[in-house]
Amino acid sequence: MASEHEKALNLQNDVLQITRELADEIGKLPSQRDRDAIADLWRKVGNHRSRLSASYRALRKIPRLPRSQLSRADYEAQKIVAQDAKLLGQRLKKWTWIDKQIARHMDPVANPIELTFADPDRSSMLDMMYYSLFLMANPNAQSKDAEDHGCFADIPLNIQPFQTLLRAAYRLLLVQGRIDSARFLDVGCGGGTKVLAASLYFPECHGFDYDHDYVAAGSRLLEITNSEGCQIFQADGLTFDHYGTYDVIYFYRPLREDALLIQMEDHVFANARPGTVILAPYTGFLSPRAGNNHPCVSSCIFIAGMDQSQVDALHKEAEFTDTEQVIRPKD
């Protein structure tokens, strides 16, 4: 039993060494990948397929004895062999799917980052459900203090356009290698529904609002939904001094007056670290503020700390990514 098990483990370890090299090649930016190197490494992995399959069949044929006939140590060893055989079988079943993914990485096809979505005036069930959640999450009217400060009341952007923005931001961070520790911030988060939605894409999602009642409502939403990595707190977007600790910053018209809005934008861009994706839609059609001349990817998607040529290069690389396989925080 041990000899067949050891053979299977040794064979998989040999494949692992090759796949680590393969992962390094695939992990490069599309423009820097060596197609021939990827193909050669995948052929080397493929050479092991028949031996892995034979090893799996051999492990499956090993008789499993009942607990009563084995010592505790032998029974535990038998369980390990069975578990390893199951894992090997699962890996072999994924071979065809992985083969297709490797081919996509050898010859990547550009998938434009487009801000296309259904007409927001045409309601869908998803939008209806999101709007219901929005209303339930924060039933409070805006406080007099927040109104006097120039804040807009909590207003929703339809969920489908917002998801379009999240997917674009995810792809732009993916090509920068910043997904694993990505931090999202919603400036003027109201009841926190966008913070909750962003947690499907980013490991740590925060939001803040000037209105204390909104912050309390948003905090309750996150508590009820048991949203790990999410947090809502009170702050002023005009003076907040931790923008540089986030990778994606989103705001949907948090201030009424253009003069204050421009002041806040300047503060965000001045403090955000290079490469930070800034999502600044001010209408349901994902339009930015007129006159916002910061380097942009598309419409209301901006990149901090870069000139337009650098943003264009980042945009081009990101077009060879997608969100078909999202690396979710809980994974």
Side-chain angles (χ1 to χ4, degrees):
M1 179 172 67
S3 61
E4 287 294 348
H5 187 215
E6 288 173 5
K7 283 168 58 179
L9 293 178
N10 289 336
L11 190 56
Q12 289 181 83
N13 190 57
D14 291 342
V15 174
L16 178 61
Q17 303 309 313
I18 303 171
T19 56
R20 282 176 175 157
E21 295 180 55
L22 183 59
D24 287 341
E25 284 296 331
I26 288 175
K28 295 177 182 176
L29 294 178
S31 62
Q32 298 172 5
R33 289 180 196 155
D34 185 333
R35 184 191 186 283
D36 292 337
I38 293 173
D40 181 59
L41 288 165
W42 184 236
R43 277 193 297 271
K44 289 180 180 178
V45 173
N47 291 337
H48 289 73
R49 187 174 186 178
S50 61
R51 282 175 286 173
L52 285 167
S53 296
S55 184
Y56 173 65
R57 289 193 296 271
L59 289 177
R60 293 274 293 174
K61 289 179 181 178
I62 295 173
R64 297 185 63 185
L65 300 176
R67 174 70 180 87
S68 59
Q69 296 181 23
L70 297 171
S71 67
R72 181 180 181 84
D74 287 342
Y75 182 71
E76 291 301 322
Q78 180 177 266
K79 281 176 59 178
I80 291 172
V81 171
Q83 290 167 358
D84 286 349
K86 182 179 179 180
L87 286 171
L88 177 54
Q90 290 172 345
R91 291 165 183 157
L92 288 168
K93 286 179 181 178
K94 291 182 178 179
W95 200 290
T96 300
W97 177 83
I98 294 173
D99 188 40
K100 292 178 181 178
Q101 304 309 311
I102 297 296
R104 289 175 62 185
H105 283 84
M106 281 195 291
D107 298 297
V109 176
N111 176 22
I113 295 178
E114 295 179 339
L115 301 185
T116 56
F117 54 94
D119 185 339
D121 291 330
R122 296 177 58 189
S123 61
S124 69
M125 182 176 291
L126 177 63
D127 290 323
M128 181 188 73
M129 294 301 292
Y130 171 72
Y131 188 62
S132 299
L133 173 64
F134 170 83
L135 293 175
M136 288 188 293
N138 185 23
N140 302 293
Q142 186 182 39
S143 69
K144 183 68 166 56
D145 185 32
E147 183 179 358
D148 291 344
H149 195 64
C151 300
F152 256 125
D154 192 6
I155 51 176
L157 171 66
N158 285 10
I159 195 62
Q160 293 183 77
F162 181 65
Q163 186 174 38
T164 297
L165 292 175
L166 290 180
R167 287 172 173 167
Y170 182 93
R171 295 172 66 187
L172 290 161
L173 291 189
L174 188 62
V175 82
Q176 295 184 65
R178 294 168 66 169
I179 283 298
D180 289 344
S181 59
R183 304 178 82 225
F184 169 90
L185 177 67
D186 181 355
V187 179
C189 66
T193 51
K194 292 297 193 300
V195 175
L196 179 62
S199 68
L200 290 175
Y201 291 88
F202 308 113
E204 197 170 348
C205 297
H206 295 173
F208 69 73
D209 205 283
Y210 187 82
D211 193 312
H212 288 274
D213 290 338
Y214 287 179
V215 171
S219 297
R220 282 195 299 273
L221 171 69
L222 298 184
E223 183 179 358
I224 292 169
T225 54
N226 193 27
S227 302
E228 294 184 12
C230 295
Q231 179 185 352
I232 290 176
F233 53 92
Q234 196 279 333
D236 183 350
L238 292 168
T239 59
F240 184 66
D241 57 3
H242 297 293
Y243 288 119
T245 66
Y246 292 93
D247 302 281
V248 182
I249 300 172
Y250 164 81
F251 41 91
Y252 181 48
R253 192 77 196 200
L255 296 163
R256 292 194 309 272
E257 298 178 13
D258 273 358
L260 288 177
L261 196 58
I262 292 169
Q263 182 182 336
M264 192 196 82
E265 285 177 358
D266 290 343
H267 184 53
V268 170
F269 279 93
N271 287 276
R273 56 190 172 190
T276 297
V277 181
I278 297 176
L279 309 173
Y282 294 145
T283 73
F285 290 95
L286 304 187
S287 300
R289 177 184 57 78
N292 189 329
N293 297 316
H294 293 286
C296 71
V297 172
S298 176
S299 182
C300 59
I301 302 176
F302 304 89
I303 307 291
M306 293 184 176
D307 59 35
Q308 191 60 54
S309 64
Q310 292 172 314
V311 170
D312 290 342
L314 177 64
H315 183 182
K316 185 176 180 180
E317 295 286 3
E319 288 194 330
F320 289 95
T321 69
D322 61 37
T323 54
E324 181 182 333
Q325 318 263 326
V326 172
I327 304 169
R328 301 190 188 279
K330 60 185 177 183
D331 295 340

